[in-house]
Amino acid sequence: MAVREIPLTNKAKILDAASALFLEGGVSALSVRAIAANAGVSTIGIYSHFKGKDGLLEALYIEGFALINAAMKVDSSEDPHVSALAACERYLDIAENNQAHYQLIFGDAGADYVPSEAARAASVEAFGGLLSFASILLPEDASAGMKQKKALEIWAMLHGSVSLKRHSVGQLMPAMDWRGAIMESLEKLIS
Amino acid sequence: MAVREIPLTNKAKILDAASALFLEGGVSALSVRAIAANAGVSTIGIYSHFKGKDGLLEALYIEGFALINAAMKVDSSEDPHVSALAACERYLDIAENNQAHYQLIFGDAGADYVPSEAARAASVEAFGGLLSFASILLPEDASAGMKQKKALEIWAMLHGSVSLKRHSVGQLMPAMDWRGAIMESLEKLIS
DNA sequence: CTTTATGCATAACAGCGTTATGATGAGTCA
DNA sequence: TGACTCATCATAACGCTGTTATGCATAAAG
């Protein structure tokens, strides 16, 4: 018995095509013509359904932050130290395995995208995750300022290492166990 | 007595125009047409003298790394702790006051420039500076691997904080003394 | 049935970096 | 001195980019 497939709307086709191109080639693979060609439609749909290319980048940006947010979730019933280090490993895994998203968020690789208010809400949410992450590392009566400082500290180290490796420093130390070195530094900050 | 001025070569005009535009508007202000118009020549000179726009970006990239390198210079006759923290302050100052250069180096703001071998030599030199910086913080018999780790650690924190502030996190904590928080974290790594 | 709104393909626009074309001037050599 | 070569130059054109304009078709509302 043949099941009738619901035909994809053009909007869905465009979003699927954009995601596929993005995952394969990053932001620079996302020209409106390439997306439209891959979706089998004309470019005008990108403007009617997404208000232009930025609308697509918006969805991907929010997706990227959702990944980061998920990585930073910690379980407060676990040992704080172990839980925090595991979260850091997850963050580094995500940066490595989702490079297109990561680079979109941090303005890399030709991404001139400027996030809207709605997209900025994604960073607010991720930071909330980082704050609760920081909470488990501090005494219960720690101030909000202390939590923010700890969150910033960890995030700076995480992001700094990801970015340096990608840009100019990674190839300067080919023999270095990059992940090991960064995890050591994080351990200092976490204990 | 009128002193005869030596007329600028077109090459010099182009380089001056590019630098002025760059300092004012960053990489995205550097279109070949804008540069040529500002220099009062046609665009072809950019190709004959600099092999294209990338040649100009090359010069600016190297310049940016020279700034970083200069910041990381430490005087081994001074107190290592004080000297190191001062170098970190200088790095943060440079990142703040030379944003166009900083963003070019770290692939931001639409900079699709991929550094050539010659330009990469600039990062090698800067890293040499970071290694000697790391040396003063470690025992004299520290291995090269240890020095590299320390250098990476400090640089990750420095660069991470600069990049996070610029991208998505800076506005999440408007009340935070960003510089103070990062210097505290660096002090932990330095002691 | 008429009007309005939405979505669509296509063409055109203005910008981008780069290449092609033909002209000019300087330097070298016979 | 004349011919040849090379580098530089202005201009035009190329192929790409994101976006807007145009006209048509369809669906929904009154």
Side-chain angles (χ1 to χ4, degrees), chain B residues 10 33 41-45 48-49:
Chain B
N10 280 3
R33 287 169 176 84
V41 299
S42 67
T43 61
I44 192 61
S48 44
H49 295 292

Side-chain angles (χ1 to χ4, degrees), chain B residues 40-98:
Chain B
V41 299
S42 67
T43 61
I44 192 61
I46 294 168
Y47 297 91
S48 44
H49 295 292
F50 298 97
K51 287 185 178 138
K53 182 174 166 178
D54 273 7
L56 288 171
L57 294 179
E58 186 109 327
L60 296 166
Y61 181 93
I62 290 167
E63 213 172 83
F65 256 118
L67 292 170
I68 289 177
N69 202 27
M72 302 317 280
K73 293 294 185 201
V74 285
D75 188 340
S76 52
S77 63
E78 287 182 354
D79 176 58
H81 189 257
V82 171
S83 187
L85 288 176
C88 291
E89 290 270 4
R90 288 197 300 271
Y91 183 103
L92 294 171
D93 285 343
I94 273 162
E96 197 169 313
N97 300 324
N98 299 271

Side-chain angles (χ1 to χ4, degrees), chain A residues 29-41:
Chain A
L30 284 188
S31 74
V32 290
R33 287 171 177 82
I35 296 166
N38 263 43
V41 299

Side-chain angles (χ1 to χ4, degrees), chain A residues 12-124:
Chain A
K13 285 183 193 168
I14 288 167
L15 198 52
D16 286 353
S19 290
L21 286 168
F22 181 68
L23 292 179
E24 193 180 316
V27 174
S28 53
L30 284 188
S31 74
V32 290
R33 287 171 177 82
I35 296 166
N38 263 43
V41 299
S42 69
T43 62
I44 192 64
I46 295 169
Y47 297 91
S48 43
H49 297 292
F50 298 96
K51 287 181 178 144
K53 183 174 167 180
D54 273 8
L56 289 172
L57 294 180
E58 185 109 326
L60 296 165
Y61 180 93
I62 289 167
E63 213 171 84
F65 255 120
L67 292 170
I68 289 179
N69 201 27
M72 303 318 281
K73 293 294 184 202
V74 286
D75 188 340
S76 53
S77 65
E78 287 181 352
D79 176 60
H81 190 256
V82 171
S83 188
L85 289 175
C88 291
E89 291 269 5
R90 289 196 298 270
Y91 182 103
L92 294 170
D93 285 342
I94 273 162
E96 199 171 309
N97 299 323
N98 300 271
Q99 294 194 20
H101 284 99
Y102 201 86
Q103 285 156 31
L104 174 60
I105 288 175
F106 290 100
D108 284 9
D112 267 350
Y113 164 66
V114 177
S116 68
E117 275 310 310
R120 284 223 179 80
S123 64
V124 173

